[in-house]
Amino acid sequence: MYKKFVQLILNNNSKSIDQLFTYGVPDALADAVEIGKRVKVNFGNNKHMIDALIVSIDCSCQIPEHKIKTIIDVLDDVPVVSEEMIKLIFWIRERYICKYSDAIRLLIPAAIKYEHNIVVKAKEINNISLSDKEKELYNFIKDNPLELKNLKKHYTYNDIFTVIDNLKDKDAIEIISKDKLKGKEAYEKYVSLIEDKNINEYDINKTKNQVNVINYLKENKLVNIKKLSEDLGISPSVINNLIKKDILKEEYILYQIEEKNVIKNELKLNEEQKNACESIISSDNKVFLLHGVTGSGKTEVYMNIIEHYINENKQSIMLVPEISLTAQTIDRFEKRFGNKIAVFHSKLSKKEKLIQWTKVHNKEVDVVIGARSAVFSPIKDLGAIIIDEEHEDSYISSTSPKYNTIEVAIKMAHNLNSKVVLGSATPSINTYYMAQKGQIEIIELKNRVNNQMPDMKIIDMSSELDKGNNTLISEELYESMKKTLFNKEQAILFLNKRGYSGFVTCKKCGHVVKCDRCDVSMTYHIKGNMLKCHYCGRTKRMMYECPKCGSKKIEQFSAGTQHVERLVKQLFPNAVTERMDVDSMTDRDCYENIYRRFKNGSIDILIGTQMLAKGFDFPNVTTVGVLVADAILNLPFYNASEKTFQLITQVSGRAGRGSKTGNVFIQTYEPNNFIINAAKNNNYELFINEELKLRKEFAFPPFINIINICLISKNEDLVIKTANEKYEEIKEAVKDMVKERSLLLYRPIPHSIYKINDEYRINLFIKASRSKMAELKKILRSVYMDKDIEYIKVSININTDTV
Ligand SMILES: Nc1ncnc2c1ncn2[C@@H]1O[C@H](COP(=O)(O)OP(=O)(O)OP(=O)(O)O)[C@@H](O)[C@H]1O
Ligand SMILES: [Zn+2]
Ligand SMILES: [Zn+2]
């Protein structure tokens, strides 16, 4: 009879066990079980040890008791996942159509997973009769006390477990289970003298080294064992011997990161900043959009809010796009919060990640700074989650489960009764739409801290062409750069690399070929020499004459940063020019290096891609050039206008942040383009309302959901065949929704990069009205969980703002 039952999520990736399991709790463990702790259980053939997470505890159970297995051990002293975060696991599994184990992986770092080592040892046997097989195995074990997993390699009978069981029943062997709780790496061993002992009286023959250790510890009390052996030049065995003799005691202390010597500083907030902080803190609402123009001092607002919650003894999470997680952000936070911060980014080693995780879990820090995954930090008393540059795509996970950090943060705010602040100069359409509907409170910072916005100018590149300048740098931009360099100031040139090939444009009138049905630019495909729409799959023949002006100068657009770099070096041979793009930035250090050198003035001109637009604060930048604004505008995505507006505004926002006025030049073949003009005039509202109208008209988010099912496999024929089968299957399942026009299912089309890493990708797009999502998700889950296609990876991307 069990008095307690636990429901468990087993730590295993297999689709077939993606469900909750009920286990019985033996009385001996009844006090130890707690929601959020991990336990060890047998699974399957009873020999398979697996760890599992307790998600609920009950006093009764529907299942007949004899069918219930017992938990073997409780692995954690304290819960590793809080009850609230367990709720989040369930939510993520539903929301993003994934397995429990996928959701858990987000919350528990790999480094604190358990390892089970089961060692089988032979006992002395007298007069026990063993079968031949048993004898063979016994003799084998006797010579080789082995971990079970190795034993399996050496001893290949299928019934090895039965034989082991028999041997155990006959008391011929013992099974020792050694659990290795990974996670100890976050701690370092320290030693101190056991105080209540008079060491001099100790009756041992102390070696000279031992005496040295004792004297050292008399002076220094508690010392890191590594430091001790280094300082005294002795081997750790000397210390270990003293521990064994009960003269020293050991202690594990969380790995310390040295505190940097920082001068704490705090700026006096201006009126707007102060009001913003007060509104956010005092409001009853939970979710806020801090819409503040570039250079309006949003970071100070964030830090003040965090400070407020520190005073309430709460921790906060500060999220930034991965790429801006550089010295700049960390420096600023260190100056304010000293070493009470934890930092997470993708370049941390497993051990470093674990140290940071443990620090947060033990509540040793006040602030967690990190890229999107830091939203899952093990915080108990959450004050606020702040998401800076909330419009950035990097807040949507690129790997499965493809969670949207903003949605997760909002969910957490509701579960944990905390706040979410989404900050941006160019809020995403989804966020803004939610704000319009009253789900998010808007707080505005309308002015820059220095009270001057940069001077923005649109340059018509086709008239440059008429003037005989067919380079990528207009005369006016050139003149401005010259002046900037003369004044010992700095310039930034921006080029959108991603958009430099694919779309087809007329060099004379700027016309771009678009899909009639989707209003997105079509992409050139060499195969078949045709243009293709990435949404509906519609194709057109490649054209050689502009359908608008008849010019024959219609061609694939192309220009790269390297090309621009060469040009700039020709034009300004004496200036120090550097390039910052995905190709030149092979690692974080590279990026950091350029950042530092630009900051301290050793670089005059910086050329780069969107990397440059991420919240950089360089006060000495006075000229900014957006070389080909159209390139972004014509990306084959439905949100190309949004991205264009954001990028132009963000890049421009790098100019004139200090005491000097900034000059921004937006070069384009479409000088009258609405979006480019709205960006130039800093008119976010005008842009967004216009864009919302179009999204509604062409049925794009936030008005509907776009679901993308991507099927991935190394086997091309198989992935095509499966995609077609799934298409037919879904088509049948949604036929009523299609009939009532609340859903559109598109034929499978190849991913825009069809083959990555030898894997072929096929997309299935669905557009669905929001009211159908619940129903549709059931269908999607059955596609995802289909075991027949387990050999094909399926990733499902839901593009929505629904919370
Ligand atoms: N109250 C203040 N007094 C003086 N300087 C301030 C104040 N608030 C912010 N600043 C300074 O103004 C500059 C711009 O601030 P910050 O980088 O926070 O702007 P931002 O709103 O995040 O801009 P962006 O959206 O472009 O990243 C920084 O150098 C910051 O130190
Ligand atoms: Zn034309
Ligand atoms: Zn189309």
Side-chain angles (χ1 to χ4, degrees), residues 514-755:
K514 291 191 171 183
C515 171
D516 307 329
R517 207 182 297 165
C518 305
D519 196 37
V520 298
S521 51
M522 300 183 93
T523 304
Y524 179 72
H525 284 242
I526 301 175
K527 205 175 156 197
N529 192 31
M530 62 182 183
L531 297 163
K532 196 164 190 172
C533 170
H534 277 231
Y535 287 89
C536 67
R538 171 177 277 222
T539 57
K540 275 185 191 174
R541 234 179 306 139
M542 176 62 187
M543 47 196 80
Y544 298 96
E545 219 170 71
C546 173
K548 201 167 152 210
C549 75
S551 154
K552 291 212 161 52
K553 282 206 156 181
I554 188 157
E555 55 194 54
Q556 250 202 80
F557 182 81
S558 89
T561 42
Q562 292 180 25
H563 175 78
V564 175
E565 186 182 18
R566 239 176 291 136
L567 174 66
V568 171
K569 283 188 169 157
Q570 262 167 30
L571 294 174
F572 304 102
N574 297 324
V576 181
T577 303
E578 281 288 355
R579 184 160 60 89
M580 193 186 244
D581 56 29
V582 204
D583 300 333
S584 64
M585 297 297 103
T586 45
D587 61 40
R588 196 180 197 85
D589 292 341
C590 236
Y591 184 81
E592 190 101 4
N593 174 288
I594 292 199
Y595 166 80
R596 293 259 182 229
R597 281 165 57 218
F598 197 61
K599 183 105 192 163
N600 71 24
S602 334
I603 297 172
D604 302 309
I605 305 170
L606 190 55
I607 302 163
T609 55
Q610 35 263 81
M611 274 186 168
L612 287 178
K614 313 279 151 83
F616 276 151
D617 188 39
F618 301 117
N620 203 32
V621 172
T622 51
T623 296
V624 164
V626 181
L627 298 186
V628 196
D630 321 357
I632 325 159
L633 203 52
N634 294 312
L635 288 176
F637 305 124
Y638 73 87
N639 56 359
S641 306
E642 182 183 359
K643 293 291 148 209
T644 305
F645 185 90
Q646 286 165 349
L647 272 169
I648 294 178
T649 309
Q650 294 291 348
V651 184
S652 311
R654 300 314 111 205
R657 292 169 77 93
S659 52
K660 300 158 205 156
T661 315
N663 290 290
V664 178
F665 300 87
I666 308 166
Q667 306 190 146
T668 169
Y669 290 99
E670 295 180 62
N672 298 319
N673 178 284
F674 170 76
I675 289 137
I676 292 175
N677 279 276
K680 177 207 169 231
N681 297 326
N682 229 316
N683 200 338
Y684 177 80
E685 245 116 87
L686 179 69
F687 153 72
I688 201 112
N689 288 320
E690 221 28 61
E691 181 64 15
L692 278 169
K693 265 189 233 158
L694 286 174
R695 295 273 182 103
K696 197 167 187 178
E697 191 179 322
F698 286 97
F700 279 118
F703 298 95
I704 51 110
N705 288 320
I706 292 184
I707 294 101
N708 174 18
I709 305 167
C710 186
L711 300 160
I712 307 160
S713 172
K714 282 198 191 317
N715 182 335
E716 187 177 9
D717 295 337
L718 185 69
V719 76
I720 294 171
K721 186 172 149 271
T722 314
N724 286 322
E725 281 166 14
K726 288 295 147 194
Y727 168 77
E728 294 300 336
E729 214 178 290
I730 298 172
K731 194 171 151 193
E732 179 58 29
V734 300
K735 65 174 190 287
D736 290 341
M737 291 188 248
V738 172
K739 224 179 269 163
E740 60 182 73
R741 303 178 75 89
S742 53
L743 186 141
L744 273 172
L745 171 67
Y746 296 93
R747 289 205 145 273
I749 57 167
H751 190 280
S752 55
I753 312 167
Y754 179 43
K755 189 174 162 190

Side-chain angles (χ1 to χ4, degrees), residues 263-471:
I263 314 140
K264 295 203 178 182
N265 79 335
E266 209 171 307
L267 296 169
K268 195 173 170 300
L269 297 188
N270 64 31
E271 275 306 301
E272 259 193 330
Q273 288 171 317
K274 219 163 45 198
N275 290 338
C277 287
E278 279 165 14
S279 311
I280 291 171
I281 288 162
S282 64
S283 169
D284 287 337
N285 289 324
K286 290 212 161 59
V287 190
F288 301 84
L289 167 60
L290 181 64
H291 182 197
V293 296
T294 56
S296 56
K298 293 185 282 293
T299 315
E300 286 310 310
V301 174
Y302 303 149
M303 292 197 288
N304 272 273
I305 292 169
I306 291 169
E307 183 94 52
H308 169 87
Y309 286 112
I310 292 174
N311 294 333
E312 289 189 353
N313 202 18
K314 288 178 174 170
Q315 298 167 291
S316 292
I317 300 174
M318 174 78 222
L319 301 178
V320 294
E322 172 79 37
I323 204 81
S324 23
L325 202 59
T326 50
Q328 172 171 299
T329 316
I330 297 164
D331 280 359
R332 271 182 169 183
F333 276 81
E334 272 185 343
K335 277 189 186 145
R336 181 72 173 256
F337 303 109
N339 68 346
K340 300 286 273 180
I341 58 177
V343 181
F344 285 95
H345 57 74
S346 60
K347 296 280 157 66
L348 289 181
S349 70
K350 261 189 186 171
K351 176 176 169 178
E352 287 166 328
K353 221 171 250 170
L354 179 68
I355 291 167
Q356 300 295 332
W357 189 90
T358 314
K359 274 187 159 194
V360 180
H361 192 246
N362 295 358
K363 223 177 168 181
E364 291 184 24
V365 297
D366 294 326
V367 195
V368 178
I369 306 176
R372 62 171 179 253
S373 62
V375 77
F376 300 109
S377 304
I379 289 186
K380 281 162 216 120
D381 299 301
L382 182 63
I385 302 176
I386 291 160
I387 304 187
D388 189 30
E389 312 287 354
E390 66 86 30
H391 59 276
E392 282 292 326
D393 292 340
S394 66
Y395 286 120
I396 295 171
S397 173
S398 51
T399 52
S400 183
K402 297 197 167 176
Y403 65 90
N404 177 338
T405 314
I406 294 178
E407 288 180 350
V408 172
I410 293 176
K411 187 70 198 164
M412 279 169 67
H414 288 290
N415 287 358
L416 294 162
N417 195 24
S418 55
K419 304 228 167 182
V420 175
V421 180
L422 308 171
S424 175
T426 51
S428 77
I429 281 208
N430 282 348
T431 300
Y432 191 81
Y433 181 66
M434 279 200 279
Q436 263 193 349
K437 288 195 304 184
Q439 293 168 350
I440 296 181
E441 182 176 341
I442 302 191
I443 311 280
E444 290 191 317
L445 297 174
K446 288 188 190 286
N447 301 296
R448 272 196 169 177
V449 173
N450 71 4
N451 267 315
Q452 50 171 351
M453 293 305 287
D455 234 8
M456 312 252 287
K457 217 166 192 177
I458 294 177
I459 310 284
D460 178 359
M461 289 308 270
S462 39
S463 65
E464 285 296 305
L465 200 64
D466 293 343
K467 276 190 258 171
N469 174 13
N470 67 352
T471 73

